[in-house]
Amino acid sequence: MKQRVGYSMDLNAEKALVLKIRDGREKNSYTVEWIERLSPAAAPSGPVLRELSRPRIRLVQTLTSAQVTLLTARLPDMKTSAMANALQGIVVREKGGSFGDWVIDFKANPEKDGKRHSEYKNRVTALYTPQDLVRKLYGAAREWGWEPTGMFPGYLALEQFLRFHQPEMVNADGWSLVYLGEGDRFMCVGNRQSLLFARGLPEDLSQGREEEEYFERLMTEIERSTFFAKQTDDQMVVDRIIICGKPSLADRLAERMTGRFPERITRWKPEDLFYIRQGEESWKYTLCLVAAAVSLWGPQYNLLPPEAKGGRARKIRRYALLAAGVWGVAVVPTILGGGLWTTRVQDKYLRNTEAAHRAWLNDRAESATTAYIHGHALRDCQGNLDRLVNSHPELDRLLMEVARRTPPGIVFEKLDIVDGSDHRFHLILRGRSMARDGARAQRNFLRLMESLGRCALLEEFKEPSRLEIAGTDDDDRAGSQAAFTLEYMIRGGDER
């Protein structure tokens, strides 16, 4: 049976990360394939960039507990659109702003007992977060060419994971889930139907110097939340408290609460369900790990910004970015024009391009491709191409070498193969290096020069004749670009 894979990322932290898991090694278990830590100063590795840029992968983005608010309300029977507007109104009244400032997702659970709430029959659980925030995080992922399919808080992922893998713990009337991590600490209260509320827990500001006082404060907050659950309309009675997170904290908190609290205290280790390479402490990645697992069966709520939830324009930008920045091998045939074409490459490319363009190319690319395919340029230069192939068989290999050595972020605008005055073929490359800032754009360009300098088929002819660093022309993608022109002499031989 084919194993499923899921991906998750956390771009909130100063040291962001992205990881991949695979299920099916054993029943109810997962294997951590890789974890890559990201930083503003360095781009993700090439394999990670390419893998996460593939279409239709399960890639989700986590939010912290402080960024997402859980709301429960009772509403009368109404259409889904009207319910969404009502919730927007509630959020604006409570938090301020205006309609459209908040991203909201919700679930309605009709009351089984219609007598008590005869007018307000729907108990609605909603999550909301500022739209500017999720747009910023979504945009950060898009800068790498990644297209998240879900965005939700870590506490939702952990709660869903608990329901899936420990159903016996959530079959009680009410339960409380406490998580003490390094980057996020929270508790959420729910029952077998849904969550009732979620709230953040305090950090230990003493950094362990006043540990007993910190644990006393935690237990006070947990007691208050349990009491509050009883005062709601649901009158939820919490009979189990589940504790997970950093072992040194979770173990000692569970030990202190056992016997002192009337509820059953359970120490849960969700990280134990993930096989991870030796030396890694899996509890540090708990929220990202469970989020990747949740991506396999689908989150209950999704807080992606409106522009991420479908539409032809979004798909166009995605594939255009992939073609330009990641799949270097696929880029080369599109820029050859009057350069080298073999019959095999030409026919295969035209077939693939025609099929792909029907699905996702934008108007500009479609217009260019239509003129390109239906024009006479290919037929007019076919004789010249055959001459080049016969006189210099290394050209076919050279083009593939250039594609292989091109780092992500480099976009070739023109590639020419010309006869030089020295009676040797010259390769002229014109293009742009695109990145989030000028320093990265220049660094990518230097990586290209270094890589091409190691190619035995090329001999540097002159220094770059043009190098300009400026902003991008694309309003949808902020950043910088370094425009360049490179010229090499082509020679035969093996790679050094």
Side-chain angles (χ1 to χ4, degrees):
M1 183 177 67
K2 185 177 180 180
Q3 294 178 325
R4 298 178 301 169
V5 297
Y7 307 83
S8 70
M9 59 182 166
D10 178 7
L11 301 183
N12 293 283
E14 182 177 336
K15 295 182 179 179
L17 63 89
V18 60
L19 56 82
K20 174 185 179 181
I21 67 162
R22 183 182 300 274
D23 76 339
R25 174 172 174 172
E26 294 177 5
K27 185 178 180 181
N28 293 331
S29 69
Y30 308 87
T31 298
V32 182
E33 298 254 317
W34 48 256
I35 297 175
E36 175 139 342
R37 296 161 188 81
L38 309 174
S39 71
S45 64
V48 169
L49 271 173
R50 289 190 292 272
E51 185 168 355
L52 292 185
S53 298
R54 296 197 312 249
R56 296 183 297 278
I57 67 170
R58 300 180 180 94
L59 172 62
V60 296
Q61 212 167 349
T62 60
L63 302 169
T64 65
S65 60
Q67 295 170 329
V68 183
T69 303
L70 176 64
L71 165 72
T72 57
R74 294 190 184 278
L75 298 175
D77 283 334
M78 59 179 69
K79 293 182 179 180
T80 302
S81 57
M83 196 173 290
N85 289 334
L87 290 170
Q88 282 277 358
I90 293 173
V91 173
V92 169
R93 184 186 65 196
E94 294 295 325
K95 297 292 185 178
S98 59
F99 277 70
D101 289 346
W102 305 91
V103 174
I104 302 177
D105 197 10
F106 63 92
K107 305 293 180 197
N109 302 300
E111 282 290 336
K112 295 182 179 179
D113 181 7
K115 296 180 181 179
R116 186 174 174 205
H117 302 284
S118 56
E119 182 179 358
Y120 300 99
K121 297 180 179 179
N122 291 300
R123 180 178 180 274
V124 179
T125 304
L127 295 177
Y128 65 90
T129 189
Q131 187 169 135
D132 288 345
L133 169 69
V134 293
R135 277 183 164 160
K136 178 181 178 181
L137 292 173
Y138 178 72
R142 286 292 311 281
E143 285 187 3
W144 301 124
W146 303 340
E147 196 77 42
T149 56
M151 187 182 292
F152 43 83
Y155 64 75
L156 178 70
L158 191 61
E159 182 259 1
Q160 236 184 298
F161 193 80
L162 174 70
R163 290 180 184 274
F164 188 84
H165 285 285
Q166 302 290 338
E168 70 281 358
M169 292 189 188
V170 296
N171 282 336
D173 289 336
W175 48 266
S176 176
L177 177 61
V178 176
Y179 174 76
L180 302 173
E182 285 193 324
D184 201 2
R185 300 184 182 186
F186 56 79
M187 68 174 297
C188 45
V189 177
N191 59 16
R192 61 170 59 92
Q193 278 80 40
S194 64
L195 278 175
L196 176 63
F197 65 85
R199 53 170 302 194
L201 290 174
E203 296 283 340
D204 182 7
L205 300 180
S206 72
Q207 300 294 318
R209 293 187 300 273
E210 299 174 0
E211 187 177 82
E212 289 301 323
E213 182 179 334
Y214 176 63
F215 282 123
E216 286 295 327
R217 186 181 177 192
L218 282 177
M219 289 187 285
T220 299
E221 295 295 334
I222 294 171
E223 283 181 316
R224 286 176 178 173
S225 299
T226 301
F227 176 78
F228 174 76
K230 296 178 182 178
Q231 312 310 310
T232 62
D233 289 343
D234 299 83
Q235 295 182 346
M236 186 180 295
V237 178
V238 174
D239 68 355
R240 183 192 293 268
I241 299 176
I242 305 160
I243 303 173
C244 55
K246 186 177 182 179
S248 60
L249 292 176
D251 290 345
R252 280 178 281 179
L253 179 62
E255 182 181 345
R256 283 166 172 76
M257 292 179 63
T258 300
R260 173 172 169 174
F261 280 61
E263 297 84 6
R264 286 176 291 174
I265 307 300
T266 301
R267 173 70 170 97
W268 180 45
K269 299 181 180 180
E271 63 270 18
D272 286 351
L273 295 179
F274 296 87
Y275 293 91
I276 196 167
R277 62 178 176 266
Q278 190 174 4
E280 289 277 12
E281 296 180 284
S282 55
W283 67 265
K284 293 182 178 180
Y285 314 107
T286 297
L287 296 184
C288 265
L289 291 172
V290 298
V294 167
S295 75
L296 299 179
W297 61 79
Q300 293 179 340
Y301 300 83
N302 198 336
L303 294 173
L304 282 171
E307 62 267 24
K309 296 181 179 179
R312 180 172 178 271
R314 177 172 64 87
K315 294 180 180 179
I316 288 167
R317 288 194 299 270
R318 167 185 171 79
Y319 286 107
L321 177 62
L322 296 186
V326 181
W327 293 344
V329 174
V331 173
V332 171
T334 70
I335 58 174
L336 295 182
L340 174 66
W341 280 79
T342 65
T343 302
R344 175 179 58 80
V345 172
Q346 175 184 326
D347 291 344
K348 182 178 179 181
Y349 173 71
L350 289 177
R351 288 195 303 269
N352 291 344
T353 302
E354 182 179 3
H357 283 186
R358 286 198 301 266
W360 42 257
L361 280 182
N362 61 15
D363 294 335
R364 182 173 57 184
E366 288 172 346
S367 299
T369 303
T370 300
Y372 179 74
I373 292 176
H374 293 288
H376 298 283
L378 290 178
R379 288 195 297 271
D380 291 342
C381 68
Q382 187 64 56
N384 183 49
L385 302 179
D386 292 339
R387 179 183 65 81
L388 288 175
V389 171
N390 293 332
S391 62
H392 206 303
E394 292 287 353
L395 292 180
D396 195 359
R397 176 187 165 199
L398 169 64
L399 293 174
M400 297 306 295
E401 275 292 298
V402 170
R404 184 176 68 85
R405 293 173 177 275
T406 300
I410 299 293
V411 181
F412 290 127
E413 297 173 330
K414 192 173 183 182
L415 185 155
D416 289 327
I417 298 174
V418 299
D419 251 331
S421 57
D422 54 356
H423 305 293
R424 297 176 63 180
F425 287 122
H426 288 216
L427 172 67
I428 303 175
L429 300 171
R430 296 180 179 88
R432 292 175 294 156
S433 171
M434 300 192 299
R436 282 186 281 183
D437 55 54
R440 291 185 188 130
Q442 187 174 10
R443 190 159 54 243
N444 288 342
F445 166 70
L446 294 176
R447 287 174 55 199
L448 172 67
M449 286 190 62
E450 180 183 3
S451 181
L452 294 180
R454 294 196 301 266
C455 180
L457 299 176
L458 294 176
E459 179 182 337
E460 186 175 354
F461 179 69
K462 61 175 67 173
E463 292 291 322
S465 58
R466 180 173 66 107
L467 180 60
E468 304 169 1
I469 300 178
T472 63
D473 298 325
D474 190 347
D475 293 333
D476 292 330
R477 190 171 184 268
S480 297
Q481 61 180 354
F484 61 84
T485 299
L486 298 173
E487 185 169 350
Y488 296 89
M489 289 188 293
I490 302 173
R491 63 186 178 190
D494 296 329
E495 180 177 336
R496 287 196 292 267

